[in-house]
Amino acid sequence: MSLAESKANEADASAISASIRNILDRQKAAHIKDGPPSAEKRIDWIDRAIALLVDNQKEIAEALASDFGHRSHDQSLLTDVMGSLGPLKHAKKHLRQWMKPEKRKVQFPLGLLGAKARVEYQPLGVVGIISPWNFPINLTWTPLAGVFAAGNRAMIKPSEFTPATSELMARMIRSAYDETEVAVITGGPAVGQAFSSQPFDHLLFTGATSIAHHVMRAAAENLVPLTLELGGKSPVIVSKSAKMEDAAAKIMTGKTLNAGQICLAPDYVFVPESRVDEFVSEATKSIRKMYPTIKDNPDYTSIINQRHYERINGYVEDAKAKGAKVVEINPANEDFSQQQAHKIPPTIILNPTDDMKVMQDEIFGPVLPVKSYRDVTEVLGYVNDHPRPLGLYYFGEDEQEERQVLDRTTSGGVTINDVIMHVSMEDLPFGGVGPSGMGAYHGVDGFKTFSHAKAIYTQAKAKMVVEMFRPPYGLKTRKLLASQIKK
């Protein structure tokens, strides 16, 4: 790159950053000018978000299908439209209660003398949302439920990997909100970098752990508080006591939803050594039932692009080359070498080893490694030797073993006797731990994440309260100290 090209790129980056900063400054100014919004105003913001989803549902499904090459319209309506309406309606129903000040206890003897303490939840101001490509509508609108309930304005940077959906989102938002309320900033990596470098009052990033390092580093320059929703390799533990038909069907449903392109998708499965063949058989049956054909099946989603298609197929080829047994579940025996989309049939990799790429990276596709085990302590040791995942799943009827799994592993969340479903419960916090993320949102936890919990103390009027802490110190002070400073 020449010096002239370098200077031109710097000028472009500076212009992009200045444009984003201008919108942020106007949102912050409007927030300060208008003050904390009333419950009615917050509900109005939420109602507009709900109306956008309902009125544009057909366009949303079509845009997502265009971006993915093929994506099930019904799945898009289930996950991105209906899946976003639930959080918005939940927030609308409960936000008045959430907004109420919380009374807190006052230490003895101040409470007896009339002192009071409370916490008030104050809007932070402007929240930045960086949303991913896998569920671009849901992972924008669901955070908006908490952002609006807490009384904030929002700026959104959607993924460049879903350009049709990102442009549709921008048009939808412009049609319903003033730019000082909500703004959508589209563009590629340069825009993303400029966006994450802004002095937001809070920043939510959903995406890859590798990108989170850059986002966190950029946010640190302005000490912007972060919520990071990442991913990792979410394990499934199938107990010896599990009902295998039920377990396999639920695991494969979760693994093939959005073709496995889910941060909470089951990434690998531990199955008792004596039941591996049974699991493969039941998994195959469940796929045949859900997808008798795959290549032209409207219910089966494509991989997002060529790069990810090659990456996932590379995992399978690497596993084969290193000696793994690969079971491709292709009920109609279709040829996937020639296709318009980037579909990959569900594929099981049996007893993979840790030197295989499929066991090192988050898969984000319909490929499922299956490891066998003899005792659950082996499983716990393996899970704990690896980075803490966003989700963990346990199938079984053994309550003592279930308790052992819950106590001896750490993950963002857990679903028992199913996969992924804990994310759909609005009264549960959703978030990661360690490499799978930090912070949480959804429901009241989202309201609190996007609020400042302001501590407020009102002093008692009794004169003795003031005299207790004011010099000159005497006998009363020493008696107080003697009564309080003890084990």
Side-chain angles (χ1 to χ4, degrees):
M1 182 185 293
S2 69
L3 180 61
E5 288 174 322
S6 178
K7 287 183 176 179
N9 287 342
E10 287 178 10
D12 288 344
S14 178
I16 291 168
S17 184
S19 176
I20 298 171
R21 181 59 182 267
N22 177 262
I23 297 170
L24 175 59
D25 287 344
R26 289 192 290 116
Q27 287 204 1
K28 286 192 172 188
H31 172 74
I32 292 170
K33 178 177 176 290
D34 295 346
S38 64
E40 289 73 22
K41 181 63 176 176
R42 302 178 195 205
I43 288 171
D44 172 55
W45 281 341
I46 291 173
D47 280 339
R48 283 186 254 169
I50 291 171
L52 286 175
L53 292 171
V54 173
D55 295 344
N56 293 278
Q57 56 185 287
K58 184 174 182 290
E59 290 81 0
I60 289 169
E62 289 173 349
L64 285 165
S66 171
D67 283 329
F68 275 76
H70 174 74
R71 195 185 201 234
S72 165
H73 282 218
D74 292 319
Q75 179 201 289
S76 292
L77 294 177
L78 280 168
T79 58
D80 280 87
V81 176
M82 189 180 79
S84 302
L85 289 172
L88 288 162
K89 292 178 180 179
H90 181 85
K92 177 182 175 180
K93 180 179 179 180
H94 295 284
L95 69 84
R96 291 181 190 275
Q97 181 64 36
W98 298 341
M99 289 172 65
K100 291 179 180 178
E102 290 182 7
K103 290 183 179 179
R104 298 293 178 92
K105 290 184 178 180
V106 176
Q107 288 167 278
F108 177 85
L110 297 172
L112 296 177
L113 299 170
K116 296 178 181 179
R118 69 184 187 275
V119 172
E120 291 188 1
Y121 289 97
Q122 184 176 33
L124 291 171
V126 180
V127 177
I129 299 172
I130 302 177
S131 56
W133 55 262
N134 59 328
F135 292 101
I137 298 292
N138 177 266
L139 292 172
T140 299
W141 258 254
T142 294
L144 280 176
V147 170
F148 287 154
N152 300 291
R153 293 152 198 267
M155 292 177 65
I156 300 159
K157 166 59 178 77
S159 173
E160 65 271 22
F161 283 2
T162 49
T165 307
S166 295
E167 287 300 328
L168 174 62
M169 273 198 280
R171 293 197 302 273
M172 289 164 60
I173 292 294
R174 281 197 300 269
S175 73
Y177 300 94
D178 185 81
E179 199 172 56
T180 60
E181 296 175 311
V182 189
V184 177
I185 316 295
T186 58
V191 175
Q193 183 177 355
F195 189 91
S196 59
S197 300
Q198 301 299 320
F200 295 108
D201 298 298
H202 194 96
L203 180 60
L204 167 66
F205 170 78
T206 305
T209 302
S210 59
I211 305 300
H213 290 281
H214 301 290
V215 172
M216 193 171 185
R217 194 175 294 115
E221 291 298 318
N222 294 300
L223 296 180
V224 174
L226 283 170
T227 299
L228 299 177
E229 298 303 338
L230 309 177
K233 299 183 75 63
S234 296
V236 184
I237 302 170
V238 178
S239 170
K240 294 174 183 177
S241 64
K243 297 175 181 176
M244 190 60 77
E245 180 182 0
D246 179 66
K250 288 174 177 176
I251 292 166
M252 298 312 292
T253 298
K255 192 60 177 174
T256 54
L257 178 67
N258 207 36
Q261 297 166 109
I262 307 175
C263 58
L264 279 167
D267 203 273
Y268 62 97
V269 183
F270 269 105
V271 178
E273 191 175 61
S274 61
R275 303 189 71 185
V276 171
D277 290 344
E278 183 186 2
F279 174 82
V280 173
S281 175
E282 293 298 341
T284 302
K285 287 179 187 175
S286 73
I287 294 298
R288 284 176 178 161
K289 186 175 181 180
M290 290 188 288
Y291 307 106
T293 63
I294 293 174
K295 191 173 178 181
D296 296 316
N297 190 327
D299 291 336
Y300 196 85
T301 294
S302 172
I303 301 303
I304 185 69
N305 56 31
Q306 182 70 24
R307 180 170 72 83
H308 282 283
Y309 177 77
E310 292 174 355
R311 176 184 61 81
I312 296 164
N313 279 320
Y315 291 156
V316 177
E317 293 307 312
D318 175 74
K320 281 182 182 177
K322 291 173 180 173
K325 181 181 178 182
V326 175
V327 179
E328 182 181 274
I329 307 177
N330 184 357
N333 197 30
E334 296 167 287
D335 180 6
F336 288 87
S337 62
Q338 298 289 325
Q339 56 171 315
Q340 288 183 326
H342 296 105
K343 291 187 176 182
I344 296 175
T347 304
I348 293 174
I349 296 177
L350 293 172
N351 285 321
T353 53
D354 282 356
D355 65 328
M356 296 176 186
K357 292 178 182 177
V358 76
M359 292 305 295
Q360 296 169 2
D361 304 330
E362 184 178 8
I363 298 169
F364 235 67
V367 175
L368 185 66
V370 176
K371 294 177 72 69
S372 63
Y373 74 93
R374 294 182 180 180
D375 187 88
V376 74
T377 55
E378 300 171 37
V379 178
L380 300 181
Y382 186 91
V383 171
N384 287 326
D385 281 343
H386 291 77
R388 291 171 170 177
L390 185 60
L392 183 143
Y393 311 116
Y394 174 82
F395 286 86
E397 307 298 321
D398 185 332
E399 292 184 7
Q400 185 176 351
E401 185 181 71
E402 176 188 311
R403 188 68 257 167
Q404 184 182 11
V405 169
L406 291 172
D407 289 342
R408 298 289 300 279
T409 61
T410 302
S411 60
V414 176
T415 294
I416 294 169
N417 286 324
D418 207 339
V419 297
I420 302 173
M421 287 300 294
H422 64 279
V423 72
S424 65
M425 301 296 109
E426 272 305 296
D427 213 27
L428 287 176
F430 172 60
V433 56
S436 60
M438 65 174 68
Y441 69 105
H442 283 207
V444 67
D445 297 281
F447 172 84
K448 290 182 176 180
T449 288
F450 302 125
S451 298
H452 168 55
K454 180 182 282 186
I456 301 171
Y457 174 75
T458 303
Q459 185 60 282
K461 294 179 180 179
K463 187 178 179 181
M464 66 173 290
V465 174
V466 177
E467 294 176 345
M468 190 185 306
F469 299 101
R470 183 178 292 171
Y473 300 120
L475 183 60
K476 285 185 179 180
T477 304
R478 287 189 281 275
K479 283 184 176 180
L480 172 67
L481 291 169
S483 69
Q484 295 300 313
I485 300 177
K486 58 185 179 181
K487 292 181 180 179

